[in-house]
Amino acid sequence: MRTLHTRRTLTVATGVLALAAAGIAGTGAAHAAQPAPAAAHTFADGAKTAGLAAAHFGVRDIGGAARGVNARARHGFNINGGNWSGMVATGSGFTSTKSSWTEPKVTCNSTNDLMAPWVGIDGYGSSSVEQTGVATDCSSGSPVYQGWYEMYPANPVYYSNTVKAGDHITATVSRSGKKYTLTLADTTQGWTRTITKSYNGANASADFVMESPTASYPNFGSVKFTGATVDGSALGNFSPTAMDASNSNGYEDHTSALSGGNSFSISYLQE
């Protein structure tokens, strides 16, 4: 299982893929390549697993903006989300996000495939992120599912609780002042993990995201986010922005329009 702690740099088997320096408002300038340590990481309950490569779930990295604009005009894609797809609401003072999904059964295309549906606050136009979800890692050749949370720029923290394809997942991030509570529940397996931490977040976006830090998705079919709420109200009340992820080969997935104000799907596209 790979560790995930290299800031906004995509490390692949053939070298380092430095994303385009198109930049995101409020997040700084171009990216510098960093080495990818191969080390063990520690689960939240103390268990360890060997790491094979490195990447980092965190702030949105847009990359390939010009290509995204052209593809969008021809094929009706949403905005180019770079390594993010899904929906985000922007503004200020956000206090909670919540949504559920069914963990997909994936087919690994390569050992570089890595993806995670997650829910959180921040990261779209800010350098802070408070997020929790489930990562699917193909570095061993077969998909491995792990729950995790992250308070960027600190390293992700993983849970050793069992997660399988077909499990029903609910993720919640809430805030009271500078205290954030991140809860991840697998109602199929019957476990819930909750962490509360103090953190100086910008609280500038509410996020419902599918992310691939390696810019390489396994074939996940379709993932549907349901019951998406922001500050206790339906996501649709916040005029969210829809995003489609891309890499150097073009778009990797497509986000549907909102249904009922609180549900949408993200569908895999063959590279």
Side-chain angles (χ1 to χ4, degrees), residues 132-143:
T132 188
V134 175
T136 301
D137 184 352
C138 288
S139 61
S140 66
S142 299

Side-chain angles (χ1 to χ4, degrees), residues 9-217:
T9 301
L10 308 183
T11 302
V12 297
T14 56
V16 176
L17 172 62
L19 290 181
I24 306 168
T27 62
H31 320 295
Q34 298 180 11
H41 70 257
T42 303
F43 290 108
D45 56 8
K48 291 186 177 180
T49 186
L52 301 177
H56 199 301
F57 294 114
V59 296
R60 184 178 69 120
D61 218 341
I62 64 170
R67 180 190 68 249
V69 169
N70 292 335
R72 184 167 67 253
R74 291 195 304 270
H75 304 298
F77 281 89
N78 298 305
I79 73 163
N80 181 5
N83 60 341
W84 284 23
S85 54
M87 296 270 184
V88 295
T90 56
S92 62
F94 290 111
T95 59
S96 72
T97 56
K98 181 177 182 179
S99 190
S100 300
W101 64 87
T102 297
E103 197 61 30
K105 181 178 181 179
V106 311
T107 300
C108 295
N109 299 313
S110 75
T111 56
N112 193 51
D113 289 355
L114 176 64
M115 57 161 266
W118 58 264
V119 167
I121 299 174
D122 285 330
Y124 187 95
S126 69
S127 58
S128 56
V129 191
E130 312 87 57
Q131 54 189 157
T132 188
V134 175
T136 301
D137 184 352
C138 288
S139 61
S140 66
S142 299
V144 177
Y145 300 87
Q146 288 183 279
W148 58 278
Y149 78 87
E150 181 178 2
M151 308 288 283
Y152 184 86
N155 291 344
V157 176
Y158 292 86
Y159 300 127
S160 59
N161 303 75
T162 298
V163 182
K164 296 181 179 180
D167 286 2
H168 185 266
I169 306 295
T170 296
T172 306
V173 175
S174 60
R175 175 181 66 88
S176 177
K178 292 187 177 182
K179 285 191 175 182
Y180 295 81
T181 298
L182 298 90
T183 300
L184 187 69
D186 184 327
T187 56
T188 304
Q189 301 293 334
W191 59 261
T192 300
R193 300 300 295 261
T194 299
I195 186 75
T196 299
K197 286 185 172 290
S198 295
Y199 183 75
N200 189 25
N203 310 312
S205 66
D207 317 308
F208 305 84
V209 170
M210 177 81 79
E211 179 179 356
S212 175
T214 59
S216 180
Y217 281 92

